[in-house]
Every structure is written in C-alpha cells, then in structure tokens.
C-alpha cells in the first residue's frame, strides 16, 4: 500500500507533463509576464505591477500566480495585472510571478519572473528592539495608541528615533515621546487615532526610523492586529449581595462595540480573615458562591475578548467590592491616609527648621520688633511730686532744724513735722 501511495504522485506529475507537452505540440505556449516591478506605495506597503506578454495569445482564462518571497512565503493567484500587499520592508522584499493557462483539465505554467527591493541602509543592531503597542478604547469608541521599545545595542547615545503609524491610508508621526537616560525616544503616545478595532482584516503599521551623527540608523517595521493589542475596558457596575452563606456577584459588560457574548471574565475573591484567594473564569455576567458569612471578602473582576472574537489584552481589575461589616480600608482611603501623614510630618519639619533659622540669625527681633509702651503721665506726676516733697523734707529736716524744733513750744502740726523728719533721717 505504501508503495502505491509513493508511486501515485510520480504518475500524476508525468501525466501533467505529458498533457503540457501535448498542448505545446499543438502550438499553445505560455509566456511569462513582462515589466514586473515592485514599488513602495506607503509605510510597509508595496505595489506589484506587470503586463501580459505581448506574444502571449489572448485568452480570458489566463491568470497569474504571485509568490511573496519575503518576509515570509505568501502565494496567491489573480487575474489582475497589479496587486497591493502590506508587508514589513526593513529587511528588503522580493516577489516572483508567472503566467497560468488552464486548458481542459490541465494547467500550463510559464517561467518565473522576479523583482526585488533592497533593504534600507543602516548599521546592524541600531534599529529598535522589543517593540510593543497597546490600544485603549474610550467610551466614545475613540482609540489611543501607546508604543514602547528599546534602543538598539549599537545605537549611539545621540540617536533620535521617530515613530509613525499607518492605518488604512492615514499616516501620522508621533508628537508625544518618552525618553531614556540618554534622552533617546523609547516610547510614544497617540491620544486619539483613526484606528477602528471593529474593522476586520485591517492592520496597524508601526514604522520607526532614526538618525545619528555617527552612523546610519536602520529602520524597523511591525504589523499589529488591532483586536490583538486592544486592552479591554474593565467590567462596569459590580454589585454584591449576600444572603446567609450565598454570595451573588453581578456586573455589566465593558464599554465596547463588541456584543455581550464576545466577553469572558475572571472572578477573584479574597478572604481577609484566612488570607485565602482564588480566581475563576466565567463567560456569564454573574457568579454565585457559598462562603463563610462570618468572614470579610473582597471581590474584583476583569474582562477580555473570547478567542473566537479576536482575543485582546486582559483589562485592569475593577475596584474591590467588599462584603461584611467593618470593611477594610480601601486603596483610596489608604492613599488619603498616607498623604495626610506625609503632610503633617512635612509641616512639623518645616516649622522646626524655620524656628532654628530664626533663633540662629535673630530674625524674630527683626521681623517682630518690640512695641514701645507709652509713658504713664499720671504715675510720673506722682513720682515727681513725691520727689519734690522728699527734697523739701531733706532741706527742712536738717539736724539743726530738728534741734531747734525740739526746744521751741510748737503746735501739734509742727510736732508732726518734727517726727516725720526724724523718721526720714533714720531711713537714710
């Protein structure tokens, strides 16, 4: 049996060759096309053109077989005399073509004709590496494009990379770059693009070239399926209900033009008491589970497209939803708490620093000089009067005066003056 199977292809080939020779014996020839050219018509796009051989007998059944040789083998047949193909061109491009002439149950083939494009100039390992791109869809179905890459190993420090993207016939250069330590562009962000992930069989072309004073920078191109690099939006309106030990979690599909059946979900639950955590996959918009109602749980969901609906990139997890009383502090509360602590520490530190500086450089006395107090005229008046009376008493109450007063017969008020003078003299 194996011998028969191995001999059959040989017999078939000989039969076709015999029929071809028979057709050629009848004067029927198949000639290759002429003027086969390949030109670059857009980023990562080539236009293949040719003309039928003028010596070829006109026949409505004539068609052409085209083989795209690089970057990968991609054969196709066509009756047209031109074709457009989207392929990466940074390593060059080559294609070949031949004429096919069906005749009864056989097919005659011409010789191949080849056309090539040389690879663009540039030093080895100066082109970017590890290029990755992500599409984010907004609620209004507008798409933003984010790309990141690494500089080539042999790229000089002064290398400047420039990114372009093409979708259908629209081409745009990046205006918003992120840079590495040598100020080289290693990331790009388009906040609004013409990309439509709803369109099937379309590709996003990303082209990055560069320049340097020291060497030629080799360009790099990559093709992306928009659906494959779309980061899905997270599910919406997650709700939790708990009745005794029965937990029911429900949510709505993400913002997207895809139908509800296109999505799959991952359901994550965490037990704060025991530390137990588990993740389930589901294609429904709800999940039920029996749990210990004496424990506290946090639940979060994320979404993606199913494989039959152009699988993309998993969405971010939703904000955690909690069940039970005395719920743990949410991430937002924790952030606010940390910010408050940091603010208090900063204010205290600044106050202490200002106090030390003011004390060292005597700034308080300069900033806040003492306010002069007004003179108390009434108090000064009494002080002046008392001083004058005291001076008079010193003048009057001399020792000679006292002795004279003692010898004279004086009235009562004079005696009072006598004793006042004695007290004054003794106090001094």
């Amino acid at each position: 049996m194996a011998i028969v199977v191995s001999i059959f292809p040989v017999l078939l080939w000989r039969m076709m060759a015999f029929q071809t020779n028979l057709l050629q014996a009848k004067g029927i020839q198949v000639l290759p096309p002429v003027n086969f050219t390949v030109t670059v018509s857009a980023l990562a796009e080539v236009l293949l053109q040719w003309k039928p051989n003028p010596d070829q007998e006109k026949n409505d059944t004539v068609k052409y077989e085209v083989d795209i040789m690089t970057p990968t083998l991609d054969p196709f047949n066509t009756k047209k005399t031109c074709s457009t193909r989207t392929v990466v061109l940074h390593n060059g491009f080559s294609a070949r073509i031949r004429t096919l002439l069906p005749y009864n149950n056989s097919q005659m083939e011409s010789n191949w004709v080849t056309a090539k494009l040389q690879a663009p100039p540039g030093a080895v390992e100066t082109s970017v590496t590890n290029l990755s791109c992500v599409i984010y869809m907004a609620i209004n179905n507008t798409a933003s494009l984010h790309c990141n890459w690494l500089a080539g190993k042999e790229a000089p420090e002064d290398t400047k990379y420039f990114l372009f993207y093409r979708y259908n016939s629209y081409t745009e250069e990046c205006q918003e770059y992120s840079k590495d330590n040598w100020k080289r562009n290693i990331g790009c962000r388009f906040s609004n693009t013409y990309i439509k992930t709803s369109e099937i069989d379309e590709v996003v072309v990303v082209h990055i070239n560069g320049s340097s004073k020291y060497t030629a920078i080799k360009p790099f191109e990559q093709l992306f399926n928009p659906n494959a690099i779309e980061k899905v939006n997270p599910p919406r309106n997650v709700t939790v209900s708990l009745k005794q030990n029965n937990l029911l979690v429900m949510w709505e599909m993400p913002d997207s033009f895809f139908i509800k059946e296109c999505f799959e979900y991952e359901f994550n639950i965490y037990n704060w008491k025991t530390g137990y955590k588990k993740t389930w996959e589901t294609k429904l918009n709800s999940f039920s589970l029996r749990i210990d109602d004496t424990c506290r749980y946090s639940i979060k969901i994320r979404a993606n497209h199913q494989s039959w609906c152009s699988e993309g990139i998993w969405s971010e997890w939703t904000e955690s939803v909690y069940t039970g009383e005395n719920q743990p502090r949410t991430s937002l509360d924790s952030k606010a708490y940390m910010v408050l602590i940091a603010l208090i520490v900063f204010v205290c530190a600044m106050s202490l620093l200002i106090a030390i500086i003011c004390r060292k450089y005597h700034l308080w006395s300069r900033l806040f000089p003492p306010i002069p107090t007004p003179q108390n005229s009434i108090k000064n008046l009494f002080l002046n009067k008392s001083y004058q009376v005291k001076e008079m008493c010193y003048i009057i109450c001399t020792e000679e005066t006292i002795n004279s007063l003692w010898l004279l017969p004086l009235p009562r008020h004079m005696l009072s003056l006598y004793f006042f003078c004695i007290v004054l003299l003794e106090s001094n």
Side-chain angles (χ1 to χ4, degrees):
M1 184 65 181
I3 297 175
V4 175
V5 172
S6 60
I7 293 176
F8 179 76
V10 178
L11 295 176
L12 181 61
W13 177 80
R14 288 186 177 181
M15 185 180 297
M16 293 177 62
F18 175 76
Q19 291 177 348
T20 301
N21 293 333
L22 183 62
L23 291 174
Q24 290 177 349
K26 293 181 178 181
I28 300 176
Q29 292 183 340
V30 182
L31 301 175
V34 296
N35 298 336
F36 180 40
T37 59
V38 177
T39 56
V40 178
S41 55
L43 287 181
E45 182 180 88
V46 291
L47 174 62
L48 294 82
Q49 292 178 302
W50 61 91
K51 292 182 179 180
N53 195 302
D55 297 330
Q56 178 69 51
E57 183 179 353
K58 292 184 179 181
N59 192 322
D60 293 338
T61 62
V62 171
K63 58 184 179 180
Y64 304 94
E65 180 181 2
V66 183
D67 281 357
I68 304 298
M69 306 299 292
T70 54
T72 58
L73 182 62
D74 180 19
F76 64 94
N77 293 345
T78 180
K79 287 188 175 183
K80 299 179 180 180
T81 58
C82 64
S83 179
T84 301
R85 282 292 182 271
T86 300
V87 292
V88 294
L89 302 175
H90 57 262
N91 289 325
F93 175 83
S94 67
R96 63 182 184 177
I97 185 173
R98 65 181 176 180
T99 306
L100 302 178
L101 178 60
Y103 188 86
N104 293 336
N105 295 326
S106 63
Q107 179 173 269
M108 298 182 67
E109 303 164 345
S110 72
N111 295 328
W112 290 102
V113 179
T114 303
K116 294 183 178 181
L117 287 175
Q118 297 298 323
V124 178
E125 294 189 336
T126 57
S127 61
V128 302
T129 60
N130 294 5
L131 174 62
S132 62
C133 295
V134 179
I135 294 174
Y136 296 89
M137 295 299 299
I139 297 177
N140 58 357
N141 282 338
T142 59
S144 62
L145 178 65
H146 302 243
C147 294
N148 293 282
W149 60 88
L150 297 178
K153 293 182 180 179
E154 300 299 325
E157 293 183 3
D158 74 325
T159 301
K160 294 182 179 179
Y161 290 114
F162 306 97
L163 181 142
F164 301 79
Y165 92 90
R166 180 177 68 84
Y167 185 76
N168 290 331
S169 60
Y170 182 81
T171 302
E172 184 178 355
E173 181 182 358
C174 180
Q175 302 296 325
E176 187 177 347
Y177 290 102
S178 57
K179 303 179 182 295
D180 63 7
N181 296 332
W182 290 277
K183 305 300 181 181
R184 297 179 298 192
N185 297 333
I186 58 169
C188 169
R189 180 177 182 271
F190 293 92
S191 46
N192 192 8
T193 68
Y194 287 86
I195 299 172
K196 303 295 182 183
T197 56
S198 58
E199 296 180 352
I200 302 174
D201 297 331
E202 295 293 341
V203 296
V204 177
V205 176
V206 176
H207 172 96
I208 303 178
N209 56 30
S211 64
S212 171
K213 296 186 298 183
Y214 304 102
T215 185
I217 304 300
K218 190 174 181 65
F220 180 81
E221 292 177 334
Q222 189 167 339
L223 310 181
F224 295 95
N225 181 344
N227 299 124
I229 63 173
E230 179 190 354
K231 190 172 182 66
V232 179
N233 289 316
R236 300 171 297 149
N237 299 333
V238 181
T239 58
V240 176
S241 61
L242 179 62
K243 295 181 179 180
Q244 295 181 351
N245 292 343
N246 296 318
L247 173 67
L248 176 61
V249 183
M250 303 180 67
W251 59 89
E252 297 180 10
M253 63 172 280
D255 287 315
S256 175
F257 66 88
F258 283 103
I259 60 175
K260 178 180 178 180
E261 289 74 19
C262 269
F263 291 94
E264 61 180 345
Y265 304 94
E266 283 191 349
F267 172 88
N268 178 274
I269 186 169
Y270 177 74
N271 188 321
W272 286 83
K273 183 177 181 180
T274 63
Y276 174 78
K277 179 170 63 175
K278 190 172 182 180
T279 302
W280 288 272
E281 293 185 1
T282 179
K283 294 178 175 59
L284 304 176
N285 289 72
S286 63
F287 196 88
S288 59
L289 182 69
R290 290 185 63 84
I291 61 173
D292 182 359
D293 58 359
T294 63
C295 300
R296 293 178 300 185
Y297 295 86
S298 62
I299 296 98
K300 54 186 180 180
I301 321 291
R302 67 175 183 173
N304 197 358
H305 302 147
Q306 297 188 45
S307 56
W308 63 269
C309 208
S310 299
E311 183 176 3
I313 301 174
W314 282 97
S315 74
E316 298 293 338
W317 291 100
T318 60
E319 289 290 334
S320 295
V321 179
Y322 299 93
T323 62
E325 299 179 356
N326 301 323
Q327 299 173 356
R329 191 164 47 236
T330 64
S331 58
L332 184 61
D333 294 337
S334 299
K335 291 179 181 178
Y337 182 71
M338 294 300 296
V339 169
L340 181 60
I341 292 178
L343 182 61
I344 293 174
V345 172
F346 175 77
V347 171
C348 293
M350 291 300 297
S351 300
L352 180 60
L353 180 62
I354 292 172
I356 294 173
I357 294 174
C358 291
R359 182 178 179 84
K360 183 176 180 180
Y361 295 99
H362 306 288
L363 296 179
W364 289 118
S365 59
R366 297 178 184 178
L367 295 175
F368 308 102
I371 301 174
T373 56
Q375 294 183 353
N376 194 331
S377 57
I378 299 176
K379 182 178 179 180
N380 292 338
L381 177 62
F382 281 108
L383 289 175
N384 292 336
K385 293 294 183 180
S386 175
Y387 178 78
Q388 293 175 2
V389 171
K390 191 173 181 180
E391 288 294 326
M392 290 178 63
C393 290
Y394 274 115
I395 296 171
I396 296 172
C397 298
T398 59
E399 188 173 354
E400 293 80 3
T401 306
I402 294 173
N403 293 333
S404 301
L405 291 173
W406 178 256
L407 296 174
L408 295 173
L410 300 172
R412 182 178 299 176
H413 64 277
M414 294 299 294
L415 290 176
S416 299
L417 178 61
Y418 170 77
F419 287 112
F420 173 76
C421 290
I422 292 175
V423 173
L424 183 62
L425 290 174
E426 289 180 352
S427 63
N428 291 292

